[in-house]
């Protein structure tokens, strides 16, 4: 079972810092943009927030025991910062995780399909999965226009839904790399699997090993893409460095799991090939 990604705790700033207040009764308007206050040692910090935006405005007031003058800097909006909500960040994380798992599953399916197309000593309908037939000017898969069965362990029977396609099916099999000669009796096509030589089995084993390695490279590339996506979120300040480390660790576990899946189906196919 595919490893799940751990949930990540996200940092949210405290939007309620302590602040000192200036009473309207203690201040008198004097001229444009200035206030005369009877107050000492004041530091005013004003926060305002709306939806996923936060703005900070700060005014420092000198303490002298005398009347002080404060410019109305609070009227200006300073430092408007776009902050992603937890829901937005979780949605982006989930999207990355979903994409990784779907692509890795597709990689496993591709590896299996490639292995099935390589014949062993026993007949298997999936051996014809990659055969395409020119049907009324359009290339289609053989299994979409014919029923394929295995009447014996060393033979395949192809029964087309449309008998007029027999010639096209026969031609497609001859032109494929299956190494089998079709027997067309006008109703069905029969394929007999020749016995694999030891040398041929070794050659096919090398082909399977190459396909398994290609599958592993594909899985590593998926992991690389996901890491880049996480690093992008970190640069956008949506994830902390620790968040990315945790997610990267989970991603590596998932990658290792799919690597083991590829190794498993490779060993199984290799055993089928080398067993006489």
């Amino acid at each position: 079972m595919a490893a799940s990604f751990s949930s990540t705790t996200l940092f949210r700033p405290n939007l309620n810092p302590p602040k000192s207040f200036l009473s309207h009764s203690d201040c008198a308007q004097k001229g444009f943009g200035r206030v005369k206050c009877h107050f000492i040692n004041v530091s005013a910090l004003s926060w305002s927030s709306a939806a996923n935006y936060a703005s900070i405005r700060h005014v420092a007031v000198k303490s002298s025991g005398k009347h002080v003058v404060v410019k109305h800097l609070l009227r200006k909006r300073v430092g408007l910062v776009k902050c992603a909500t937890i829901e937005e960040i979780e949605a982006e994380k989930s999207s990355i995780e979903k994409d990784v798992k779907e692509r890795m599953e597709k990689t496993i399916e591709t590896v299996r399909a490639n292995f099935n197309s390589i014949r062993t000593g026993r007949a298997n309908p999936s051996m014809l999965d990659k055969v395409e037939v020119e049907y009324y000017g359009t290339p289609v898969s053989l299994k979409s226009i014919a029923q394929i069965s295995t009447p014996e362990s060393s033979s395949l029977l192809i029964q087309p839904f449309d008998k007029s396609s027999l010639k096209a099916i026969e031609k497609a099999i001859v032109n494929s790399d299956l190494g089998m000669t079709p027997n067309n009796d006008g109703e069905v096509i029969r394929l007999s699997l020749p016995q694999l030589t030891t040398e041929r089995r070794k050659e096919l084993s090398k082909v399977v090993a190459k396909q398994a390695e290609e599958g592993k490279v594909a899985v590593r590339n998926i992991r690389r893409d996901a890491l880049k996506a996480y690093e992008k979120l970190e640069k956008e300040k949506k994830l902390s460095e620790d968040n990315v480390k945790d997610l990267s660790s989970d991603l590596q576990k998932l990658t290792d799991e799919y690597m083991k899946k590829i190794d498993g189906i490779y060993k199984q196919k290799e055993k089928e090939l080398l067993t006489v």
Side-chain angles (χ1 to χ4, degrees):
M1 182 176 178
S4 60
F5 288 72
S6 65
S7 59
T8 306
T9 303
L10 302 172
F11 173 77
R12 299 193 68 183
N14 176 17
L15 296 181
N16 297 293
K19 60 181 181 178
S20 300
F21 295 93
L22 291 175
S23 170
H24 289 290
S25 60
D26 293 327
C27 302
Q29 185 75 25
K30 183 180 180 182
F32 178 78
R34 295 174 178 270
V35 177
K36 191 171 184 180
C37 305
H38 298 271
F39 204 85
I40 61 172
N41 203 15
V42 179
S43 179
L45 182 62
S46 174
W47 286 70
S48 67
S49 63
N52 54 345
Y53 290 89
S55 60
I56 305 172
R57 294 167 291 179
H58 182 268
V59 180
V61 185
K62 295 181 180 180
S63 173
S64 62
K66 299 181 180 180
H67 293 176
V68 293
V69 176
V70 182
K71 290 187 178 180
H72 281 187
L73 295 179
L74 294 182
R75 289 181 176 177
K76 297 181 180 180
R77 300 187 69 185
V78 181
L80 186 62
V81 182
K82 175 70 167 65
C83 303
T85 64
I86 292 178
E87 290 77 12
E88 289 173 337
I89 296 172
E90 288 296 335
E92 290 192 61
K93 276 177 50 194
S94 297
S95 177
I96 295 170
E97 294 162 10
K98 182 180 178 182
D99 179 66
V100 166
K101 291 178 182 179
E102 287 180 350
R103 290 174 63 191
M104 286 188 179
E105 279 297 332
K106 286 180 181 178
T107 299
I108 294 295
E109 291 173 8
T110 301
V111 172
R112 282 201 179 102
N114 289 337
F115 285 178
N116 288 336
S117 66
I118 297 177
R119 69 184 183 90
T120 57
R122 297 182 63 84
N124 189 329
S126 60
M127 294 168 58
L128 304 177
D129 283 353
K130 288 191 172 182
V131 176
E132 288 194 341
V133 181
E134 194 75 17
Y135 188 61
Y136 291 105
T138 304
V140 297
S141 64
L142 173 56
K143 62 183 179 181
S144 70
I145 61 171
Q147 181 179 348
I148 306 170
S149 58
T150 53
E152 297 176 5
S153 62
S154 60
S155 66
L156 290 168
L157 181 66
I158 303 170
Q159 188 170 4
F161 304 130
D162 177 8
K163 290 183 181 180
S164 67
S165 64
L166 276 169
K167 286 289 185 181
I169 293 174
E170 183 179 6
K171 181 180 179 181
I173 293 173
V174 170
N175 292 336
S176 71
D177 58 356
L178 291 172
M180 292 185 283
T181 302
N183 179 12
N184 182 1
D185 65 4
E187 295 288 333
V188 296
I189 292 177
R190 289 181 172 85
L191 294 174
S192 295
L193 276 69
Q195 189 68 29
L196 290 176
T197 64
T198 301
E199 189 64 28
R200 180 57 177 163
R201 289 176 186 274
K202 289 181 179 178
E203 289 176 1
L204 292 175
S205 180
K206 291 179 182 178
V207 172
V208 170
K210 181 181 178 182
Q211 291 177 344
E213 183 56 34
E214 288 172 352
K216 289 183 176 181
V217 170
V219 169
R220 293 190 194 102
N221 288 341
I222 294 168
R223 173 183 174 274
R224 179 201 61 199
D225 293 343
L227 285 175
K228 287 183 178 179
Y230 288 141
E231 288 169 359
K232 181 175 180 290
L233 291 179
E234 182 183 5
K235 288 179 181 178
E236 294 173 352
K237 306 302 181 183
K238 294 179 180 179
L239 291 176
S240 69
E241 183 178 352
D242 289 340
N243 294 155
V244 173
K245 285 182 180 179
D246 291 340
L247 291 169
S248 299
S249 176
D250 289 339
L251 181 60
Q252 184 59 56
K253 291 176 183 177
L254 186 65
T255 302
D256 293 341
E257 186 173 329
Y258 277 89
M259 290 292 191
K260 289 179 181 178
K261 286 184 179 182
I262 293 176
D263 283 335
I265 57 180
Y266 162 65
K267 289 178 181 178
Q268 182 181 355
K269 187 65 178 182
E270 185 182 42
K271 184 179 178 181
E272 291 175 5
L273 282 171
L274 299 179
T275 301
V276 180

